[in-house]
Amino acid sequence: GIQWFLPSATEISSLVQTACDSDSNNNDESLSGSYWTSTSSSNLRANSFDASGSVGTTDRTTPLKVRAARKKP
């Protein structure tokens, strides 16, 4: 079956680039706002990224979006 995962901070740049390439092909699934990654930076903070692909740390209590990625079979 299809396998979904929450991307790590190191996987984000290639996934954001792929999403941007898809958007240029009239895809309506564009990225906007900030999203969680699967990478934690401490007990109280975790890595997040924004639509431009910029990665930073965010307090874990901050409400952010989640963007799952799909593994190719």
Side-chain angles (χ1 to χ4, degrees), residues 9-73:
T10 57
E11 295 170 308
I12 292 305
S13 62
S14 64
L15 294 174
V16 170
Q17 182 58 49
T18 300
C20 290
D21 291 346
S22 295
D23 289 343
S24 66
N25 294 323
N26 298 318
N27 184 344
D28 63 357
E29 297 295 323
S30 61
L31 294 174
S32 65
S34 295
Y35 300 81
W36 288 115
T37 72
S38 63
T39 307
S40 65
S41 58
S42 72
N43 286 339
L44 300 175
R45 299 182 70 76
N47 286 22
S48 60
F49 70 98
D50 63 24
S52 70
S54 177
V55 177
T57 60
T58 304
D59 185 281
R60 289 183 182 211
T61 61
T62 304
L64 299 180
K65 299 174 185 178
V66 174
R67 182 71 176 220
R70 184 173 58 185
K71 291 184 180 183
K72 291 184 178 182

